[in-house]
Amino acid sequence: MPEPTKKDETETQSAPPPPEQKTPQDGGTGKDKDEDDTSVSTPPADGMSKPAERKDSVWSIGEGAPEESGKRDDSQMSTLFIEKPQSGSVSVGGNITFIAKVEAKDLLRKPNVKWFKGKWMDLASKAGKHLQLKESFERHTKIHTFEMHIIKAKENYAGNYRCEVSYKDKFDSCSFDLEVTESSQAAQSIDIRSAFKRSGEGQEDAGELDFSGLLKRREIKQQEEEPEVDVWELLKNANPSEYEKIAFQYGITDLRGMLKRLKRMRREVKKSAAFAKGLDPAYQVDKGGKVRFMVELADPTVELKWYKNGQEIRPSAKYIFEHKGNQRILFINNCTMADDARYYVTAGDEKCSTELFVRDPPILVTKGLEDTSTYVGERVELSCEVSEENANVKWFRNGVELSDDPHSRYRIKVEGKKHTLIIEEAAKNDNATYSVMTTGGQSEAKLSVDLRPLKISLALEDQTVRLGQEIHLKCEISENVEGKWYKNGQLVEASDRVKLYHKGRIHRFVIASSAVDDEGEYMFVPDAYNINIPCKVHVVDPPKLHLDGLGENNTVTVVAGSKLRLEIPITGEPTPKVVWSRGDKGITDSGRIRAETYPDSSCLVIDAAEREDSGPFRITLKNEAGEDTALINIKVVDVPDPPQAPNVTEVGEDWCVMTWEPPANDGGSPILGYFIERKKKQSSRWMRLNFELIKETTFEPKKMIEGVAYEVRVFAVNAIGISKPSMPSKSFVPLAVTSPPTLLAVDGVTDTSVTMKWRPPDHIGAAGLDGYVVEYCFEGNGFSQGISTDLSEELLEPPFHVEADEWIVANPELTDKTKFTINGLPTGSKILVRVKAVNAAGESEPRYHPQPILVKEVIEPPKIRLPRHLKQTYTRRVGETVNLVIPFQGRPRAKVSWEKNGSPIDKNHINIRNTENDTIIFIRKAERCHSGEYDMKVEVENLVDKATIDIQIVDRPGPPEIVIIDDVWGENVNLSWKPPKDDGNAAITGYTIQKADKKSMEWFTVMEHYHRTSATINELIIGNEYYFRVFAENMCGLSEDATMTKESALIAKDGKVYKYPVYNDFDFTERPMFTQPLVNTFAVAGYNATLNCSVRGNPKPKITWLKNKVIIMNDPRYRMFSNQGVCTLEIRKPSPYDGGTYTCRAVNTLGEAEVECKLEVKVIYQGVINPGEPFFLAGNNQLHSKDF
């Protein structure tokens, strides 16, 4: 949508001209502005005509008829501005300042001031290196001064600006123009591709795209290379369906702006024959205001018609037509939002169109929310009233917006100006702060939901039930609330077996068929109440044996010679009697085979089990509820017998094949597998070859040494254990062959060399390993097809056909290392590499690298890894050693440079040592002159990374300048002094005061760590004469010297007439002073960050936070706290655009104070971290979002 434009005509506005007079069209400079030169204009808020000094322009937006300007209500006249910003002109690259002043005599607090460009653009968000907003307050004259500084103005800064000031229900506005001029020799052409690229594409104007500036013809800085293709001509001659393709081809991202520009260029070709002067592109008016449309006809006899959205406009009380010579004027009275539309006027076959924008006034909260307390389950209504009916109002709960969703617990009701938030049944979690927000205000209130007192109408009763019967627990409470059931302290959930019922105030717990496990203590706990209703349930159970843990057919297996302790769980109420028997013979509680009985189990114990103990054992349970019995089979097993001696049937280079027969007796348990061992014939040490059982009776031992005699043997294994070893086999001698090298990979690549690394062969023969041979061949020698794409694959066969004489030996002499560099390679070539292991038996099979290797050095972008403690000010005392190690990365040949305060470092005083991976700054004995900002820069070709370290060297302060005895009375002396000239490069933390009798001149400390510059010394001895001296103190300690009073203080004796001085009440007031400043901070994008400082002052100062000198107001991304003088600003989930300079301002009636710091937000882009700045490897410039 185009922005409103300024007319080309000029009028004198010091007095309204008579209706019959015509304002000259060609006065002033004698030339009209270009039709494409658009600028934003806004009507004065007070409805008055412009001041007399503005004689160079007439504003057509929202301006009433001149003769009616005096009819406005005097209450709408300017009551805040005492000096308004004036229009001005500046050359391209020049600076200009606009000033507005507001008198604060009748204001209780500082007014709110906003600067705008055009209709919508709030300049507070554009503050940066090209735009600065400042404000000050003169306490004596009580005048607020607001300044807007435009620095190094550009062409697109030209246009209409507006300054708005508001205080409670008062409002004032003033519009002014900025004209940016440049030499007439500048080219009028515009590069469409640079004009319609959005921010972030490498332009100098990145971050400040101005649609109104892009739509008007302006002069552009001469580009280093002119476009080879005239894109405008392509677009003019192209079919509209090809516009998007052309924009994509030539890098135009703002397609919408390009089409508007193209439409206007086509319209400029046609010159109107009916209209001498047409309508402006756009007009703006406040809701309820009056707007004036004017055209000038070339022929006054032509019939003229006005249209709104295609419908003809007829004269009425709302639409008034007026003729003045060739001028045709349309007035629209009492504009509403329905008048926001497109208008055009026709004269014959020609027409002229414009846009009208109607601005809706802000909605105010006339009656705010009230704090409410209620009980759970009650209906809650929170109501407020706004200034207009059916206004758009948003509700929030603890800062989160509430939606009027039909499924939501919250319902929003609107009755005219009254808006109500309804909660049908309040819950405990509805305790929150609820707020309502409109376009012009907000209100909030707290909702407190409490529980009603609970009474127990029917308590739970203890129950005793038989196994399988129903358990039914019932209780009744005074409130209809949910609750939870517990058994023995554990939460019970509803299931197919357990049924939980809740109807009104009655809660029931039902188990249709009880089990033994259901016995216990039950308890019902109502939700949200600290109360419980207990009862006990006892289940009667007949005796029962639990044999679930036994094997098939209740068989228990025990190893011969071991002890069996078989524990059988039993249940029954009362406790049953247990009897064990074997055949017809009962088992007693003593002997090798005995029975042991416990309340919940019974044990059968067999000491040193024998094979004769195998057989069935019977256990019988009896009690008054019934009887249970079972047979348990005991099986005694043993380890198997050893197998026969194995036979070696086949021998290889480092392996053999052996077979054997299973053992004759498996020990009563099936054979699970076998273990194999081997040893050298001359050795007595056997080595196990397998750690997992072998099922077969055949095995292939490997990894043996050729030329050495070996023997093997076998162990049989069953579930009981391992048998004794078999007899050894006959001795045999294996032979070994070296295998190929393993894990061949690229270790590094440069312009002329390739470094390969590998691991030794898996198998090395008895001849050992003499070394390796590295061979390579160039691309084009037959390996253009069939190359493997899996870099992790190891190849023993070449992936292509290469003749033997095409391989080049890289090392004529064998290398015993597993790493080798092939030098002298052509840059840009591709090679394939293979490696062979060599020993006395010859060369092994080659190991191939699966991919061709490109001979080209890899660039690693530079990155400084600044330690955490160096991101804040690094403080050291004078004389201490400064030794800082800063690691970094970057390949190849990273270049490191240092600067101190923008100048090169003097290496005679500061030592710098650089390595490939870090840099060290060393100061053997620090001096105060070494304090400052040290800038580190790491460069790799055209890639750069920077970091700054702030070093502060501190020393003890000097003594105070002068100590004066201000007054002496009674036993008291009042002293005052001035702070020292030299604070030791650190803040003064206090003073130490000492006194000395003139006779002895022995010094005694009176006060320590005293913060003020005046003090009263009490309890002095009458008749003595005293001298005083003061030491200054900072973080390093006391000053070496003290400043002593030049005169002494005599304490008068009794009887001497003393005239008491008259003292005024002590003034406790103090202008604001920051005791703890802000500290430069780094933050990570997406994680909350806080800024902290402390301030003191009396009266209590008002705290204001600013970002880039712009006040932070009503922004939900920021939270501000102030407690006991500690000020905190919390930034929620910052982004790179939240980086900048933050200022904390404290103001009271005595003055103001400010502290500021820098916040940098780190963002990770493809492994490279640059705080707040994207990084492009294609050579594009880095972009800064703070540019204006």
Side-chain angles (χ1 to χ4, degrees):
M1 182 179 292
E3 296 184 355
T5 61
K6 189 171 75 175
K7 288 190 173 182
D8 297 317
E9 56 183 317
T10 59
E11 293 181 354
T12 301
Q13 298 188 4
S14 59
E20 65 275 12
Q21 282 186 331
K22 295 182 179 179
T23 305
Q25 297 288 332
D26 51 355
T29 60
K31 63 177 182 179
D32 294 335
K33 288 190 176 182
D34 188 28
E35 189 175 85
D36 285 336
D37 189 11
T38 62
S39 61
V40 180
S41 61
T42 306
D46 54 9
M48 299 178 61
S49 59
K50 296 294 176 179
E53 61 272 13
R54 299 188 55 195
K55 301 179 181 179
D56 58 345
S57 62
V58 172
W59 304 93
S60 60
I61 301 177
E63 182 182 5
E67 59 271 19
E68 296 181 1
S69 61
K71 298 180 182 179
R72 300 295 180 94
D73 189 356
D74 292 340
S75 63
Q76 296 182 1
M77 297 180 62
S78 175
T79 57
L80 295 178
F81 280 122
I82 61 173
E83 180 179 334
K84 300 183 179 180
Q86 304 299 319
S87 301
S89 176
V90 66
S91 300
V92 173
N95 303 335
I96 189 171
T97 301
F98 295 95
I99 301 176
K101 293 185 178 180
V102 178
E103 187 173 13
K105 181 172 63 176
D106 299 329
L107 307 181
L108 299 179
R109 57 180 178 83
K110 189 188 71 172
N112 185 23
V113 174
K114 293 184 179 181
W115 299 83
F116 295 90
K117 180 181 179 187
K119 183 178 180 181
W120 307 113
M121 185 181 295
D122 188 350
L123 297 181
S125 62
K126 298 296 183 179
K129 69 177 183 179
H130 291 288
L131 175 68
Q132 295 181 3
L133 303 178
K134 297 182 179 180
E135 56 185 64
S136 60
F137 176 70
E138 180 61 39
R139 186 163 58 92
H140 300 292
T141 60
K142 295 186 177 180
I143 293 178
H144 291 279
T145 302
F146 302 92
E147 301 178 3
M148 181 176 73
H149 300 277
I150 296 180
I151 304 170
K152 295 182 181 179
K154 300 182 180 181
E155 244 187 305
N156 59 337
Y157 295 176
N160 177 244
Y161 291 77
R162 185 172 78 258
C163 178
E164 291 185 357
V165 59
S166 60
Y167 176 78
K168 293 186 177 179
D169 57 346
K170 297 181 180 180
F171 179 80
D172 205 351
S173 176
C174 177
S175 298
F176 56 95
D177 295 318
L178 172 61
E179 181 181 1
V180 182
T181 61
E182 58 185 350
S183 59
S184 59
Q185 293 82 4
Q188 297 296 328
S189 62
I190 180 170
D191 182 2
I192 179 176
R193 285 175 286 179
S194 63
F196 291 97
K197 286 184 179 179
R198 299 189 185 275
S199 60
E201 297 185 7
Q203 307 174 57
E204 182 183 355
D205 294 344
E208 51 179 275
L209 181 60
D210 185 359
F211 287 96
S212 63
L214 292 175
L215 291 177
K216 66 183 180 177
R217 181 173 299 169
R218 59 174 184 164
E219 296 177 0
I220 302 300
K221 294 181 179 180
Q222 186 65 26
Q223 302 292 329
E224 295 181 1
E225 295 183 3
E226 293 295 330
E228 299 179 358
V229 179
D230 189 349
V231 183
W232 286 121
E233 292 300 323
L234 288 177
L235 293 171
K236 290 178 182 178
N237 301 326
N239 191 307
S241 62
E242 299 179 356
Y243 286 170
E244 186 174 358
K245 178 180 179 182
I246 295 175
F248 178 81
Q249 180 179 357
Y250 291 94
I252 301 172
T253 56
D254 189 6
L255 182 59
R256 183 179 178 186
M258 180 199 71
L259 294 176
K260 290 182 178 180
R261 173 70 173 172
L262 182 62
K263 184 176 180 181
R264 293 188 58 187
M265 290 188 64
R266 289 179 172 175
R267 188 167 61 243
E268 291 168 2
V269 178
K270 294 176 60 179
K271 188 168 184 180
S272 174
F275 295 96
K277 182 159 191 66
L279 294 172
D280 291 343
Y283 295 80
Q284 175 184 322
V285 66
D286 287 340
K287 184 179 179 181
K290 182 178 181 180
V291 69
R292 172 178 175 263
F293 296 150
M294 190 276 290
V295 296
E296 185 175 346
L297 299 176
D299 183 5
T301 62
V302 176
E303 182 182 2
L304 196 74
K305 292 185 178 180
W306 295 85
Y307 294 84
K308 170 187 174 183
N309 287 338
Q311 299 293 328
E312 184 177 357
I313 301 174
R314 300 294 183 183
S316 63
K318 184 176 183 67
Y319 302 98
I320 300 175
F321 297 92
E322 184 177 335
H323 294 184
K324 289 184 181 180
N326 290 356
Q327 295 182 353
R328 301 293 183 268
I329 304 173
L330 169 63
F331 292 97
I332 303 177
N333 297 319
N334 192 20
C335 291
T336 64
M337 298 306 295
D339 295 322
D340 190 304
R342 182 171 184 83
Y343 295 81
Y344 66 88
V345 58
T346 61
D349 296 331
E350 295 187 16
K351 73 175 181 178
C352 180
S353 62
T354 185
E355 294 277 350
L356 175 60
F357 302 96
V358 180
R359 185 173 63 180
D360 198 2
I363 306 300
L364 303 178
V365 179
T366 58
K367 182 179 179 182
L369 302 174
E370 296 181 355
D371 293 344
T372 304
S373 298
T374 185
Y375 288 111
V376 173
E378 297 290 337
R379 176 186 171 95
V380 180
E381 293 188 359
L382 300 176
S383 300
C384 71
E385 294 184 5
V386 296
S387 58
E388 290 191 12
E389 294 186 359
N390 300 322
N392 184 18
V393 173
K394 293 185 177 181
W395 290 85
F396 297 86
R397 179 182 183 273
N398 289 337
V400 179
E401 183 176 355
L402 300 177
S403 63
D404 194 8
D405 192 335
H407 302 289
S408 174
R409 297 184 65 251
Y410 304 97
R411 185 165 58 89
I412 299 173
K413 180 180 178 182
V414 180
E415 298 176 345
K417 297 182 180 180
K418 184 176 180 181
H419 294 252
T420 305
L421 177 66
I422 301 174
I423 305 175
E424 292 296 343
E425 293 185 0
K428 190 68 175 177
N429 57 4
D430 289 326
N431 280 302
T433 299
Y434 294 83
S435 60
V436 63
M437 181 178 295
T438 66
T439 57
Q442 64 179 6
S443 176
E444 67 177 24
K446 292 184 178 180
L447 174 61
S448 176
V449 182
D450 297 324
L451 298 172
R452 294 182 184 273
L454 185 69
K455 296 182 180 179
I456 301 175
S457 303
L458 178 64
L460 297 176
E461 297 180 354
D462 295 342
Q463 294 186 10
T464 300
V465 297
R466 289 184 61 85
L467 185 68
Q469 291 183 345
E470 181 185 69
I471 299 176
H472 189 174
L473 304 179
K474 178 181 177 181
C475 67
E476 183 178 351
I477 56 179
S478 61
E479 296 296 329
N480 183 10
V481 296
E482 297 288 340
K484 295 181 177 61
W485 290 87
Y486 294 87
K487 174 191 173 185
N488 297 329
Q490 300 294 322
L491 179 65
V492 178
E493 300 287 350
S495 64
D496 295 339
R497 225 180 131 262
V498 179
K499 305 296 182 182
L500 305 179
Y501 300 97
H502 171 209
K503 183 177 180 181
R505 297 177 298 172
I506 299 176
H507 295 263
R508 293 188 298 129
F509 178 97
V510 177
I511 299 177
S513 178
S514 62
V516 177
D517 296 338
D518 295 330
E519 182 174 346
E521 294 185 0
Y522 288 80
M523 179 173 57
F524 176 74
V525 179
D527 288 347
Y529 286 93
N530 188 17
I531 189 172
N532 61 76
I533 307 174
C535 74
K536 293 182 180 181
V537 175
H538 179 62
V539 179
V540 177
D541 185 18
K544 185 177 180 180
L545 291 166
H546 298 274
L547 306 176
D548 298 337
L550 301 181
E552 185 179 359
N553 298 324
N554 295 337
T555 301
V556 177
T557 303
V558 61
V559 179
S562 62
K563 181 178 180 180
L564 171 65
R565 183 180 180 86
L566 177 61
E567 183 175 359
I568 306 298
I570 60 176
T571 57
E573 189 65 32
T575 304
K577 180 181 179 181
V578 183
V579 177
W580 284 88
S581 61
R582 184 180 183 186
D584 298 332
K585 184 179 179 181
I587 299 176
T588 63
D589 56 357
S590 61
R592 187 176 66 85
I593 301 177
R594 62 186 180 275
E596 298 177 357
T597 302
Y598 301 96
D600 58 349
S601 65
S602 180
C603 294
L604 175 65
V605 180
I606 302 177
D607 294 332
E610 301 174 355
R611 291 197 176 186
E612 291 77 9
D613 296 333
S614 298
F617 288 76
R618 180 179 294 275
I619 179 173
T620 303
L621 302 181
K622 290 183 180 180
N623 72 354
E624 61 185 19
E627 178 180 342
D628 193 12
T629 184
L631 283 176
I632 300 176
N633 296 315
I634 303 298
K635 182 180 180 181
V636 180
V637 296
D638 203 350
V639 298
D641 293 339
Q644 298 295 324
N647 296 322
V648 177
T649 60
E650 187 178 356
V651 175
E653 297 175 349
D654 63 344
W655 53 271
C656 72
V657 176
M658 55 182 290
T659 60
W660 61 92
E661 294 295 332
N665 185 4
D666 61 2
S669 178
I671 299 296
L672 301 178
Y674 303 91
F675 285 120
I676 313 300
E677 289 186 352
R678 79 171 183 212
K679 74 176 183 68
K680 297 177 183 178
K681 185 177 181 180
Q682 296 81 4
S683 173
S684 60
R685 176 174 170 270
W686 290 90
M687 180 178 67
R688 175 145 314 169
L689 300 183
N690 63 309
F691 293 95
E692 294 183 0
L693 291 176
I694 298 174
K695 306 295 183 181
E696 298 81 8
T697 57
T698 301
F699 185 70
E700 184 179 343
K702 296 181 179 179
K703 297 184 180 179
M704 292 182 284
I705 303 174
E706 62 177 326
V708 178
Y710 287 91
E711 293 179 349
V712 293
R713 65 182 183 182
V714 182
F715 294 83
V717 181
N718 65 2
I720 310 306
I722 303 175
S723 69
K724 295 181 179 180
S726 68
M727 295 298 295
S729 67
K730 295 181 180 179
S731 62
F732 61 94
V733 179
L735 300 174
V737 177
T738 302
S739 63
T742 60
L743 301 178
L744 178 61
V746 178
D747 187 55
V749 179
T750 66
D751 293 342
T752 59
S753 66
V754 173
T755 301
M756 304 298 296
K757 63 179 180 179
W758 60 90
R759 298 295 300 274
D762 292 334
H763 306 289
I764 300 177
L769 180 63
D770 296 336
Y772 302 93
V773 174
V774 181
E775 297 178 344
Y776 67 95
C777 66
F778 289 99
E779 183 180 23
N781 291 346
F783 60 88
S784 60
Q785 296 181 352
I787 298 176
S788 173
T789 59
D790 187 1
L791 296 178
S792 63
E793 181 183 0
E794 293 192 3
L795 302 180
L796 292 176
E797 297 294 335
F800 39 76
H801 176 70
V802 180
E803 298 295 336
D805 56 356
E806 293 177 353
W807 289 96
I808 303 173
V809 178
N811 55 329
E813 297 183 0
L814 294 178
T815 176
D816 57 350
K817 307 294 184 182
T818 57
K819 184 176 181 180
F820 186 77
T821 300
I822 306 173
N823 297 310
L825 300 174
T827 302
S829 62
K830 291 184 178 179
I831 64 171
L832 187 79
V833 180
R834 67 181 184 182
V835 179
K836 302 177 182 178
V838 181
N839 63 4
E843 297 180 349
S844 68
E845 291 293 326
R847 178 72 66 184
Y848 292 88
H849 189 268
Q851 286 286 337
I853 303 169
L854 178 62
V855 183
K856 182 179 180 181
E857 192 161 13
V858 179
I859 297 176
E860 181 181 2
K863 180 59 186 177
I864 300 175
R865 302 293 184 182
L866 193 64
R868 184 184 298 273
H869 70 281
L870 297 181
K871 295 180 180 179
Q872 298 180 353
T873 302
Y874 183 80
T875 305
R876 282 292 181 272
R877 297 187 179 184
V878 171
E880 293 184 351
T881 300
V882 177
N883 188 13
L884 304 179
V885 180
I886 299 95
F888 61 87
Q889 65 185 31
R891 293 176 57 190
R893 298 176 292 279
K895 180 181 178 182
V896 183
S897 60
W898 285 89
E899 289 184 355
K900 177 188 174 185
N901 296 328
S903 302
I905 291 179
D906 185 1
K907 295 185 178 180
N908 295 327
H909 299 86
I910 301 174
N911 296 321
I912 302 294
R913 183 180 67 83
N914 299 325
T915 66
E916 292 182 358
N917 300 318
D918 58 25
T919 179
I920 300 175
I921 179 170
F922 178 78
I923 304 175
R924 185 176 301 278
K925 189 175 182 181
E927 300 293 339
R928 288 174 59 181
C929 61
H930 294 145
S931 300
E933 290 188 355
Y934 291 75
D935 298 322
M936 175 185 175
K937 181 169 66 175
V938 180
E939 298 175 289
V940 175
E941 295 187 2
N942 61 339
L943 304 178
V944 179
D945 193 16
K946 298 179 180 180
T948 301
I949 302 174
D950 188 8
I951 298 179
Q952 181 181 7
I953 307 301
V954 298
D955 197 0
R956 292 198 292 177
E961 289 189 42
I962 184 173
V963 181
I964 302 173
I965 299 175
D966 291 335
D967 199 0
V968 180
W969 75 98
E971 300 175 357
N972 309 307
V973 174
N974 187 26
L975 302 177
S976 64
W977 59 89
K978 293 183 179 180
K981 292 183 179 180
D982 182 13
D983 60 359
N985 203 21
I988 299 298
T989 59
Y991 299 89
T992 297
I993 307 169
Q994 296 182 347
K995 68 179 181 180
D997 189 355
K998 185 177 181 181
K999 297 178 181 179
S1000 63
M1001 289 308 291
E1002 292 183 5
W1003 294 97
F1004 299 93
T1005 299
V1006 179
M1007 295 181 178
E1008 290 182 320
H1009 312 302
Y1010 189 76
H1011 296 285
R1012 299 181 180 272
T1013 56
S1014 63
T1016 300
I1017 312 302
N1018 303 318
E1019 299 180 358
L1020 299 175
I1021 299 175
I1022 296 177
N1024 289 359
E1025 193 172 0
Y1026 292 88
Y1027 283 95
F1028 301 88
R1029 67 181 182 183
V1030 181
F1031 293 84
E1033 182 180 5
N1034 65 3
M1035 62 182 295
C1036 296
L1038 295 175
S1039 59
E1040 295 183 357
D1041 300 321
T1043 302
M1044 190 176 70
T1045 57
K1046 295 182 179 180
E1047 301 175 355
S1048 61
L1050 177 62
I1051 308 303
K1053 295 184 178 179
D1054 294 335
K1056 188 175 182 179
V1057 178
Y1058 179 74
K1059 183 180 180 181
Y1060 290 92
V1062 178
Y1063 295 100
N1064 296 326
D1065 293 338
F1066 186 77
D1067 186 8
F1068 288 96
T1069 60
E1070 181 182 9
R1071 65 178 295 156
M1073 182 177 69
F1074 283 91
T1075 58
Q1076 178 64 38
L1078 293 172
V1079 180
N1080 293 341
T1081 306
F1082 293 84
V1084 178
Y1087 294 86
N1088 290 359
T1090 57
L1091 304 178
N1092 299 281
C1093 62
S1094 60
V1095 65
R1096 74 182 188 192
N1098 191 16
K1100 183 178 179 180
K1102 177 183 178 183
I1103 305 301
T1104 305
W1105 288 89
L1106 303 91
K1107 176 188 175 185
N1108 295 330
K1109 304 300 182 182
V1110 178
I1111 298 177
I1112 300 173
M1113 294 184 63
N1114 300 327
D1115 194 334
R1117 294 181 299 111
Y1118 300 95
R1119 294 179 63 192
M1120 307 171 192
F1121 307 95
S1122 179
N1123 185 18
Q1124 300 294 328
V1126 178
C1127 306
T1128 302
L1129 175 64
E1130 179 181 355
I1131 306 172
R1132 299 181 176 179
K1133 297 182 178 180
S1135 65
Y1137 303 101
D1138 291 319
T1141 301
Y1142 286 80
T1143 305
C1144 183
R1145 177 184 297 164
V1147 181
N1148 65 7
T1149 57
L1150 298 181
E1152 65 180 47
E1154 290 184 355
V1155 291
E1156 64 180 26
C1157 70
K1158 292 183 178 180
L1159 174 66
E1160 297 186 22
V1161 182
K1162 291 187 176 181
V1163 182
I1164 300 178
Y1165 292 95
Q1166 300 177 356
V1168 179
I1169 302 178
N1170 280 335
E1173 300 177 359
F1175 186 86
F1176 300 93
L1177 296 179
N1180 294 336
N1181 295 330
Q1182 296 185 7
L1183 307 179
H1184 300 268
S1185 61
K1186 62 184 179 180
D1187 291 346
F1188 174 69

